[in-house]
Amino acid sequence: MKVVVQRAVQAKVTVDEKVVGKIEKGVMVLVGITHDDTEADAEYLAEKIAHLRIFEDETGKMNHSILDVGGQVLSVSQFTLYGDCRKGRRPNYMNAAKPDLANELYESFNRMLREKGLQVETGVFGAMMDVQFTNVGPVTLIIESK
């Protein structure tokens, strides 16, 4: 699995002009899943995101996790994270997991975040989505489970 974590002061995802997920302070997480990913990959990333120290303390240092600051998560499935752009001009998405596996692991990942005490909003798996957010810092991290 691969995620892009972006610290945000607001984020929302819209499908067919309807807001389906919205957060205030927290993280925007784009989630990519490949063929050989498992529940262990989802657990690793959920644990990492919940405890990642990317929020400032009273001295301005990034010493607090999303749990420490009471932040929220907007999780959006993003198969294009596994797009291979090395050849030609059109990305190859052969490394992205098939929809059944990807949706199952995406749902497991979101459940695992919730079990850690986080409020998680989501997009709609497989839908054409519009995502808007304000990245603070900016803080943007790419984390892979393998």
Side-chain angles (χ1 to χ4, degrees):
M1 286 178 72
K2 183 186 302 187
V3 295
V4 177
V5 178
Q6 298 176 294
R7 194 173 66 178
V9 290
Q10 64 79 28
K12 70 179 179 178
V13 61
T14 305
V15 176
D16 295 328
E17 299 183 22
K18 178 183 175 201
V19 175
V20 295
K22 181 178 179 179
I23 65 165
E24 297 303 322
K25 181 179 182 178
V27 292
M28 168 73 206
V29 181
L30 302 175
V31 183
I33 298 166
T34 191
H35 307 291
D36 61 351
D37 286 335
T38 67
E39 294 273 329
D41 295 292
E43 178 58 36
Y44 170 82
L45 289 173
E47 180 72 15
K48 182 65 79 173
I49 291 167
H51 297 285
L52 200 58
R53 297 182 340 178
I54 60 171
F55 293 90
E56 284 92 4
D57 63 14
E58 55 283 344
T59 67
K61 293 193 178 199
M62 289 195 289
N63 278 327
H64 292 308
S65 72
I66 192 168
L67 288 169
D68 296 331
V69 300
Q72 305 164 311
V73 176
L74 179 59
S75 172
V76 176
S77 177
Q78 186 70 58
F79 78 94
T80 63
L81 290 179
Y82 279 101
D84 184 347
C85 299
R86 291 177 290 180
K87 292 183 181 178
R89 295 186 178 164
R90 179 176 297 168
N92 175 325
Y93 298 107
M94 295 301 292
N95 290 327
K98 300 243 185 288
D100 289 347
L101 169 65
N103 190 29
E104 182 179 321
L105 280 176
Y106 174 66
E107 293 299 330
S108 291
F109 170 74
N110 293 326
R111 177 184 44 76
M112 291 170 186
L113 287 170
R114 289 181 182 108
E115 288 170 354
K116 294 178 186 322
L118 292 167
Q119 178 184 339
V120 179
E121 297 286 319
T122 67
V124 176
F125 184 88
M128 180 62 74
M129 296 176 273
D130 294 327
V131 179
Q132 297 176 334
F133 66 100
T134 303
N135 188 329
V136 179
V139 175
T140 300
L141 301 163
I142 300 169
I143 308 169
E144 295 185 69
S145 60
K146 295 180 172 90

